[in-house]
Amino acid sequence: MVLVLMPVLALVLKLLYLRRDKYYVEHLVFLFHYHAAVFVCLTLYVLLLKHLPSLLVIGVPLACTLYLLLAMKYYYQQSWLKTLGKYMAFLFTYLFVLLAFIGLTALVTLLIYN
């Protein structure tokens, strides 16, 4: 599902950064890089959660979202205000696209295995 989700999210980034001279594929590579980092963070999160109290590892998911903000600021080279606005718009869109894809995945799974 995540691999199918990436092109849709890259399109969202392309629309958010229309005035930038970046190709669609560059946004796609940015998202693959970000999600690879998130998977590493989540693996770390699962390992830490197993050995430490949950209050100590709450920062790992927060670090993942903060990393996206910093990555967008560094990669797209815009002011903090523009980056923060586009970051919030992207997270909002990401949530709805992710929920739609989860629902689609559940529906396909029900149709196949039922």
Side-chain angles (χ1 to χ4, degrees):
M1 178 197 65
V2 173
L3 291 177
V4 177
L5 180 71
M6 290 298 114
V8 175
L9 293 175
L11 181 62
V12 171
L13 279 179
K14 179 67 176 164
L15 293 173
L16 283 172
Y17 290 98
L18 268 178
R19 295 186 184 177
R20 292 285 179 189
D21 291 331
K22 299 235 182 258
Y23 294 108
Y24 169 79
V25 174
E26 292 177 280
H27 299 289
L28 189 61
V29 169
F30 173 81
L31 283 172
F32 278 130
H33 168 80
Y34 170 69
H35 281 86
V38 167
F39 288 141
V40 169
C41 279
L42 291 177
T43 302
L44 178 66
Y45 177 75
V46 169
L47 291 173
L48 288 176
L49 192 61
K50 194 173 186 176
H51 300 291
L52 296 173
S54 60
L55 289 177
L56 294 176
V57 292
I58 194 73
V60 175
L62 293 175
C64 290
T65 56
L66 179 63
Y67 177 69
L68 177 62
L69 176 64
L70 295 175
M72 287 174 72
K73 172 70 174 127
Y74 177 78
Y75 184 70
Y76 294 108
Q77 297 290 308
Q78 287 190 324
S79 69
W80 278 107
L81 188 60
K82 283 184 180 181
T83 301
L84 192 59
K86 291 180 181 183
Y87 168 77
M88 297 303 255
F90 181 69
L91 284 182
F92 182 75
T93 307
Y94 191 111
L95 174 68
F96 285 105
V97 171
L98 182 64
L99 289 175
F101 270 81
I102 289 172
L104 258 167
T105 303
L107 182 65
V108 169
T109 303
L110 281 173
L111 292 174
I112 291 174
Y113 295 108
N114 202 1

